Each structure stands twice: as structure tokens, then as C-alpha cells.
Amino acid sequence: MNTLTKRLWKCISYCFPFRKKKPNDNAVEEIEIKQESLEKQPIEANSERETSYEVNSERETTIEANSERETSYEVNSERETTIEANSERETSYEVNSERETTVEANSEIETSYEVNSERETTVEAKRKRETTTKAHRKRKAANKSKSTRKTAKKPNVSPERDKLYCDECVSRQKRCFEDQVKTSIAKKKVFWTDFKRSNDFERGLLSRGWVKKIAPTFNAGPKKTIFCDPTYGHEIISRYDIQPSLILTRKRVELHLLKEDQITNHFYGVDATSKSGLCNLLRQWCLSCDANPHTFFPRCYMFSEKNEKQAFIDDFTMTAACGILKWVLRTNGKSLQDEVIPSRKEKEEKTAICMSDAKINNHGPARIVPEDIIVTALVACQFHLYDMTHEDEDDVICAGIVDRKHFISDYYQVMHHGAHIQNSDKYVDYCHQLLCKLRRVNPQLDIDGEKNIWISKPRALSRGRGIRCRNDLKDICSLGWKWVVQKYIERPLLVYGTKIDLRQHFLITDWYPLTIWFYKHSFLRFSSQPFTLESLDTAIHVCNSAIQRKLKNAPNRHPNLPEENMWHSDEFKEYLCTIGKEQVWDSIIIPGMKKALIHTMKAARENVKYKKNSYDLFGSDFLFGENFQPWLLEIQYKPDITKDTSVMKKIVPPMVEDILRVVIDYKDDPNCNVGGFELIYKQF
């Protein structure tokens, strides 16, 4: 048997456990068969059989020895393979252990990197949070001054607030709000507004038990009308057509669409709220009454009207003549005002400054003007005085000044180029006497000054747009029909060397009878630049907030001037006390403003379109002369009451509350508290 067969036998015996035969079983069987056959043969063959048996036994022993060798060889080979496998396992284990160590090291590095990255991310997150919180605070502060709620939109109600209340509380709140809406509708306490900044009005009305109708328009139907609880955000959709009793809007409201009991903040046809309308209104009104508008309103000319430009040219010439007489008094140490007369040295210094300015501005060297200009000015003023006292004479100014062009040219040399007039000292007494006579009949003589400056305004623009100061006749006459020209107040009241004006609010609740309410608090607006007549820059001479907020304050301003360029009227009163003029507020300023507003509104009521139960707020701008007399400049319709400064934040909320007291509370109780409003005129 070869080695292959032996291996097959081992496999069969391992898989099928039966009795194992010895490897020489087949040979033994053959010998036994032969013995049986030989027994029959003769006995002589026994010796041969014995010898063959011995040979076979030797063969069996050799076969067994070979098989034992083969098995030992196989065992040794198996041992070698196991040893090799163990060695390979050991090497692989070592490799794996090395890999594990490297993996652990890498994981430690990664964990350290992750920790560092987490730290960096936390630091960045903190920085982002700080920046976002700062931005959020800024947005909150900006949103406090602006009410961003739009009509027909749900109010923002925080979910945290809803969690605080159970279902029973919510249902109870809804029922309470429904009852409030029903009672407000029954009492006609429903209002509608499209104001984006109406928080003060809404707050005052809600505190009085009113409810707000949220709808696109004030007369919207039931499907588009919502009532919203301002505290909890509950909403009620109206099933009926509910019209508001109070309408607050900036848009035009057709009066025929309103009912008799509905209140609105609108009047139409108030001519006094436009520049040209105010000028024309006061000019026509002075012809039909005893009041003289020239005592509170600077003279004004509309180039759109016929003969207005020629009237302005005559006025410009007459103002130049009066300016020559004032120049003679000033340069020779006399004045119509109760002021300190400059010394000779100060006059020489001012003259030198004027001459240097003339050279810098390329006006050419200053020259000496003959004394004929004084004679011409005296004759023109004498004729003008005669004209004002005798109204039946016409064109006396033209008779006084024959050569207007030559006179204006010499006037420019003196006022704009720093020229001197020959022998001016011998005309001082004549000039003083004539100016005193003119002062009695011309209330604006003191504000005219010597420079003959006029202010030009576009008819259809607001917020100070297009306003310019001019002192050249040819330049002013080149303006078209869309312009209004008004005399500039050359000698205004200055606070710390800076020009000011005052915004005064007043309320009208009826036109027949005319009912005017005067608000006791006001605010002053400052220019950002020191006052001077050497420059006609708008930043110096126009105090409108829309212009001044775009400019930087001059570095050489007085330190007591406000950075916001605005004062409360109480601060102005304190300033008057510091200069020893505390009595002028109650004796000159307040009475003068009331007088101007009453006369203006009496002149304006003839063309006004209005309905009963209506009202509106107006803003009037006043400028003060050196003697504290107020001069009306403009009247603003629906003035801006944005709380963009600390002064406006102080004035606006109480003023809005006082408006509601006058419009709503005073209607039911004439003896109620009306706050800061004072009834200054009611025509019975």
C-alpha cells in the first residue's frame, strides 16, 4: 500500500467509526486460504509453506515500520506547520499591537485637536453672541422710537406668555376682551389709524377704553375688520360693519364719506400752510382789517403774480437807500438802537477787514464813493415817508431815484466791497432824523440791516429744500415764477453767537367759531455754524432740522451750545435769566406769537374746507429780532413730531396726551384738565 491509500483509509476511519483492520489483513486471509488448500495436499509441502509464511511475516513487519515512519513524518510536518503558524500569529500580533499603539497615539492627537477646536469654537461663539447681543440691543433701542406694527397684521405674542396661562385663563381673557369690544362699540369708542408712529396716540386711547379697528381702510367691511387685544393678542373678527368714531391719518379723507359724529384730523384749503399762500393771504387780509401783518410777518413777494417783480425791485431799492443812511450813522458813531457805539479804532479795524475781504473775493480794490449817494438816499427816503403817510400818491420812489442802476452800483461798492463815502459826517443829523420818522411808520426798519439780504424759497418744497440767501438784485430777478422772495432778518437774536428759531405748536378744533389752542411748551433749533453776514451759506442762516442734522457742528462754537442743536423752551427761559431778560418771555415773546397766530388763522378761515368734530395740529416757525420780538416765518401742516432727539422725547408724549384731552375729554367735560394747551381764541 502506498502512502496515498493509507491516508484515504485514515480519513474513512475518522469519518465512519467502524472496526479498524490491520494493514496486513488481506495478506493473512490469502495465507489462510492457501493453508486450507495445502492441507489437502501432501505433507511434503508443509516445509515450503512455513518458509513462505516467514517471508510474509517479514514483509508485514517492514510495512508496519514504513507506516510508523510515515506517521511520525506527518506528525513532525504538522508540528512544523503549527510552529510556523504560531510564529506568524506572533508576528501578526506584534504588528497589530504596533498598529494599535499608533492608532491610540493618533486618537490622542485627534482628541487634543478636537479639544482645541472646541475651545476656539466656544471663544468664537462667545464673540458672536456678544456682537449679536449688541446688535440686538441697538435694534431694540431703534425699534422703541418706531412702531413697526402694520395694519391688518397680527401682533407678536411670545409663546412664553401663553405657557403662563392655562386654558381657562385664556378663555376668560377672550371673554373679557369680547365684552370690552362690545361696550366700546356701544359707546362709540372705536378708532382707526394708519400712522406708523402712533404709539402715543394708541396708548392714550386704549387707556380711555377705546379699541382699535385693524383694517386696510377706515370704512372696510366686516370680513376685513379685526379687533386685537394689545395685551394678550386675542383676535376678534367682526361680523358687522363697524365704522370708527375717530380717524387718524395722513392721507386725504373725503369729507362726504364721513358721518357727522366721526372725528378726523384733517382740514382742507388752509392757505396759510404754503409759502405763497401765507404771503398772499396776509397781504389781502390787511386791506380788510385794522391789523398790520408787517408787525409780525416779514414782507414777501410772489414772482408768479403780475407786477410782483417790479414791486420787489422798488422795495430792494428803498431798502438800499435806508441801508446807506444806517451806514452813515454807524460809521460816525450814532445808532437808532440802544447799543454800544464802536470806537474809532474798532471802526478802522472793521473797515480794514471789509477791504481785505473785498480783495480776497476778487471784488477789486475798494474806492471812494462820492457823497451824492447820500443825497440820493435821503431824497428817496423822504418820498417813501410821504408815500406811507399819503396813500393817494403813486410811484414816488421812482421820482426820488432817477438813475436806479447807478445808485445800486454805488451801493454795492459801499456794502459789498468796503468803499467809503466822501463827507459822510456832515449828513449824520439828517440821516438820524429821517430814520426816526421812518421807524414810526415802518415796523421792519430795525430788522432790515444794511446788506439788503433776501431769502428765496421754492413754492412747493418743504424741509428747507432749495432755500438760499441772496443780496444781488440781478440774481434775484432771474428767478422764475415758482419762487417766493422774503426779506431776511439781518439782525436776529443770537444765543452764544449762533442763530436760532422756535417751533411753536397750536391746535385748531373748529373754524366757525374759530377755536385756537396754544401749547405752552416749544423747542428751539440752532444753526451748526456761528452767525455772520459775510457769508450767505445756508448752514449759517437756515436752522431747519432737516438741513442741520446733515451738517457737522463748527469746532469754534460756544461750548454751552447743545450737540443736538435743539433746546426745550424751559432751557431757553433759563438762558434768558442768565442774561437778565427773564421777563421778555411772558411780556414780549409769548404775546407776540399768540397775536401772530390769531391774525393769521382769522385770515385763513375763509377758504378752509372742514366738517364739525374735526381738528388738526399745526407747527409755526418764529424768528426773534434783537429786541426779542417774534417774527412769523412759516406755518407747517401736520408737523413732524418724530422723537429723534432728547428734546422731542420730552415734548411729544405729553403733547399727544394733551391733544386727546382737548379733542375727546373736553368734549364731554368742559372743565376737565387740558394739560399744556391754552385756549387763546374762540369767536363767540
Side-chain angles (χ1 to χ4, degrees):
M1 295 175 67
N2 55 9
T3 58
L4 181 62
T5 56
K6 288 180 180 181
R7 289 179 180 177
L8 290 172
W9 274 108
K10 285 182 179 181
C11 291
I12 293 168
S13 62
Y14 180 78
C15 294
F16 302 95
F18 55 86
R19 187 182 63 83
K20 295 182 180 179
K21 291 182 180 182
K22 295 181 179 180
N24 55 358
D25 283 346
N26 293 330
V28 172
E29 288 179 359
E30 290 178 357
I31 293 168
E32 288 178 355
I33 293 168
K34 287 180 179 182
Q35 286 179 358
E36 289 177 357
S37 61
L38 290 172
E39 285 177 359
K40 294 177 181 181
Q41 291 178 1
I43 297 168
E44 291 88 5
N46 288 332
S47 60
E48 295 177 356
R49 293 175 182 172
E50 289 176 357
T51 54
S52 63
Y53 183 78
E54 291 175 357
V55 171
N56 291 328
S57 62
E58 290 176 357
R59 290 177 180 174
E60 289 177 356
T61 54
T62 55
I63 290 165
E64 288 177 357
N66 292 325
S67 64
E68 289 176 358
R69 289 175 185 173
E70 290 176 355
T71 54
S72 64
Y73 178 76
E74 290 177 355
V75 169
N76 291 327
S77 63
E78 288 177 357
R79 287 177 182 174
E80 290 176 356
T81 55
T82 54
I83 290 167
E84 290 177 356
N86 291 327
S87 64
E88 290 177 355
R89 288 174 184 172
E90 289 177 357
T91 54
S92 64
Y93 179 75
E94 291 176 356
V95 171
N96 291 328
S97 64
E98 290 177 356
R99 288 179 181 174
E100 288 177 356
T101 54
T102 55
V103 169
E104 288 177 357
N106 292 327
S107 64
E108 289 177 357
I109 292 167
E110 289 177 355
T111 52
S112 64
Y113 179 76
E114 288 176 356
V115 170
N116 292 327
S117 64
E118 286 178 357
R119 288 176 183 173
E120 291 177 356
T121 52
T122 53
V123 171
E124 290 178 357
K126 287 180 180 179
R127 290 176 182 173
K128 289 181 180 179
R129 286 173 187 171
E130 289 176 356
T131 54
T132 52
T133 51
K134 288 180 181 178
H136 184 64
R137 288 172 184 170
K138 288 181 180 179
R139 289 173 186 170
K140 265 192 172 181
N143 289 331
K144 281 182 181 178
S145 62
K146 298 180 180 180
S147 62
T148 55
R149 173 182 278 184
K150 295 183 179 180
T151 57
K153 281 196 175 183
K154 298 181 180 180
N156 295 325
V157 180
S158 62
E160 297 177 356
R161 183 185 292 177
D162 293 338
K163 293 178 182 178
L164 297 176
Y165 303 99
C166 60
D167 295 337
E168 294 181 359
C169 295
V170 172
S171 61
R172 191 182 304 113
Q173 292 160 6
K174 288 183 178 179
R175 288 195 298 271
C176 292
F177 181 63
E178 288 177 359
D179 295 338
Q180 180 186 354
V181 171
K182 290 179 181 178
T183 54
S184 298
I185 293 173
K187 294 181 180 180
K188 295 184 178 182
K189 291 186 175 183
V190 179
F191 73 95
W192 178 89
T193 178
D194 62 353
F195 287 171
K196 294 181 180 180
R197 302 182 182 92
S198 60
N199 286 339
D200 296 322
F201 281 102
E202 290 185 12
R203 193 181 299 112
L205 290 169
L206 293 174
S207 65
R208 287 170 169 78
W210 289 61
V211 293
K212 181 181 179 181
K213 175 181 178 178
I214 302 176
T217 58
F218 74 92
N219 55 356
K223 294 182 180 180
K224 297 181 180 180
T225 300
I226 298 174
F227 295 98
C228 182
D229 188 353
T231 306
Y232 304 106
H234 305 313
E235 292 185 352
I236 298 175
I237 300 175
S238 176
R239 299 179 182 178
Y240 308 101
D241 185 10
I242 299 172
Q243 294 298 319
S245 301
L246 176 61
I247 301 168
L248 302 172
T249 179
R250 282 188 172 273
K251 299 179 182 178
R252 183 180 179 87
V253 178
E254 298 297 334
L255 299 179
H256 67 274
L257 298 176
L258 301 177
K259 299 179 181 179
E260 292 183 0
D261 58 345
Q262 284 183 314
I263 305 172
T264 183
N265 62 328
H266 264 287
F267 298 126
Y268 300 108
V270 184
D271 296 334
T273 56
S274 66
K275 299 176 180 64
S276 59
L278 181 61
C279 176
N280 190 30
L281 189 70
L282 293 177
R283 185 181 301 170
Q284 293 179 357
W285 180 70
C286 70
L287 300 176
S288 59
C289 64
D290 297 333
N292 184 9
H294 292 300
T295 58
F296 60 85
F297 183 68
R299 56 194 186 277
C300 184
Y301 296 94
M302 299 178 295
F303 284 1
S304 60
E305 299 293 330
K306 187 178 180 180
N307 299 327
E308 282 287 292
K309 189 168 287 189
Q310 183 59 45
F312 164 73
I313 294 172
D314 294 340
D315 195 343
F316 186 92
T317 307
M318 190 65 242
T319 305
C322 293
I324 293 295
L325 302 188
K326 293 176 183 178
W327 183 92
V328 171
L329 293 182
R330 180 176 58 82
T331 54
N332 289 279
K334 278 199 174 184
S335 176
L336 292 173
Q337 304 291 337
D338 297 330
E339 61 185 9
V340 178
I341 304 301
S343 63
R344 187 176 186 85
K345 184 178 180 181
E346 291 176 346
K347 290 189 290 181
E348 291 176 355
E349 290 176 354
K350 289 183 179 180
T351 303
I353 292 172
C354 294
M355 293 177 69
S356 62
D357 290 341
K359 293 179 181 179
I360 292 172
N361 296 327
N362 295 324
H363 292 308
R367 64 184 182 87
I368 302 298
V369 176
E371 58 187 281
D372 294 342
I373 189 174
I374 301 177
V375 177
T376 305
L378 285 170
V379 173
C381 290
Q382 188 66 45
F383 273 100
H384 181 62
L385 178 62
Y386 183 83
D387 183 27
M388 296 184 72
T389 55
H390 300 78
E391 298 180 356
D392 55 340
E393 300 291 338
D394 295 328
D395 299 331
V396 292
I397 296 178
C398 296
I401 300 177
V402 179
D403 192 355
R404 190 196 306 270
K405 186 176 180 180
H406 186 265
F407 174 77
I408 295 297
S409 178
D410 289 342
Y411 169 78
Y412 287 159
Q413 288 294 326
V414 175
M415 298 301 172
H416 299 173
H417 305 282
H420 287 276
I421 304 175
Q422 290 179 343
N423 302 323
S424 62
D425 54 346
K426 66 180 183 181
Y427 296 98
V428 172
D429 294 335
Y430 295 105
C431 294
H432 186 270
Q433 293 175 6
L434 187 55
L435 285 174
C436 288
K437 293 178 181 179
L438 285 171
R439 193 179 186 186
R440 299 189 190 100
V441 295
N442 183 9
Q444 298 187 15
L445 185 67
D446 292 336
I447 67 172
D448 283 347
E450 302 173 11
K451 298 288 186 179
N452 210 352
I453 300 173
W454 296 73
I455 185 165
S456 58
K457 306 176 183 180
R459 295 179 57 186
L461 296 181
S462 60
R463 297 179 177 270
R465 292 174 293 177
I467 294 179
R468 281 189 58 189
C469 291
R470 307 169 190 264
N471 60 358
D472 187 84
L473 180 61
K474 186 177 180 181
D475 183 24
I476 298 173
C477 291
S478 64
L479 298 174
W481 62 274
K482 295 182 179 180
W483 291 84
V484 174
V485 178
Q486 190 174 28
K487 185 64 187 73
Y488 181 73
I489 299 176
E490 298 183 26
R491 306 185 67 174
L493 175 66
L494 303 179
V495 176
Y496 298 119
T498 306
K499 185 181 176 182
I500 61 168
D501 68 3
L502 182 140
R503 168 63 61 87
Q504 177 64 53
H505 293 98
F506 65 98
L507 189 71
I508 293 182
T509 55
D510 203 346
W511 290 95
Y512 288 95
L514 180 61
T515 308
I516 305 174
W517 299 81
F518 185 88
Y519 197 59
K520 66 179 182 180
H521 298 297
S522 54
F523 62 89
L524 278 77
R525 301 178 296 189
F526 288 79
S527 172
S528 59
Q529 312 298 320
F531 181 78
T532 178
L533 293 178
E534 299 301 324
S535 174
L536 300 182
D537 189 3
T538 305
I540 301 172
H541 302 284
V542 181
C543 300
N544 195 297
S545 299
I547 294 176
Q548 296 297 332
R549 69 165 58 102
K550 300 176 183 178
L551 304 172
K552 292 183 179 180
N553 294 334
N556 58 341
R557 291 207 323 166
H558 196 279
N560 292 342
L561 292 173
E563 288 294 327
E564 295 178 331
N565 291 325
M566 192 173 288
W567 261 2
H568 193 279
S569 56
D570 294 339
E571 295 176 283
F572 182 57
K573 287 190 234 180
E574 293 176 1
Y575 168 78
L576 293 176
C577 292
T578 60
I579 62 175
K581 299 291 184 180
E582 61 273 8
Q583 74 281 358
V584 300
W585 178 261
D586 294 324
S587 61
I588 299 176
I589 295 176
I590 293 297
M593 291 193 295
K594 291 179 180 178
K595 170 190 170 185
L597 294 178
I598 291 172
H599 288 322
T600 304
M601 292 299 105
K602 287 172 69 175
R605 66 175 178 171
E606 294 181 0
N607 299 325
V608 175
K609 298 178 181 178
Y610 81 106
K611 66 178 292 296
K612 289 290 184 180
N613 296 323
S614 298
Y615 77 97
D616 213 340
L617 182 70
F618 297 87
S620 54
D621 295 337
F622 285 93
L623 193 68
F624 304 111
E626 289 179 333
N627 57 355
F628 301 98
Q629 180 184 353
W631 293 90
L632 177 63
L633 301 180
E634 292 180 356
I635 293 179
Q636 301 291 333
Y637 182 60
K638 296 189 182 302
D640 185 16
I641 55 174
T642 304
K643 296 178 287 186
D644 53 354
T645 62
S646 59
V647 177
M648 294 301 290
K649 290 177 183 177
K650 186 178 179 181
I651 289 179
V652 172
M655 184 178 69
V656 170
E657 175 64 24
D658 295 340
I659 289 173
L660 296 177
R661 288 175 178 174
V662 173
V663 175
I664 296 175
D665 301 344
Y666 184 80
K667 185 178 178 181
D668 299 329
D669 182 12
N671 297 321
C672 71
N673 180 20
V674 292
F677 279 102
E678 176 190 358
L679 181 61
I680 61 172
Y681 185 81
K682 186 171 184 179
Q683 187 179 19
F684 294 99

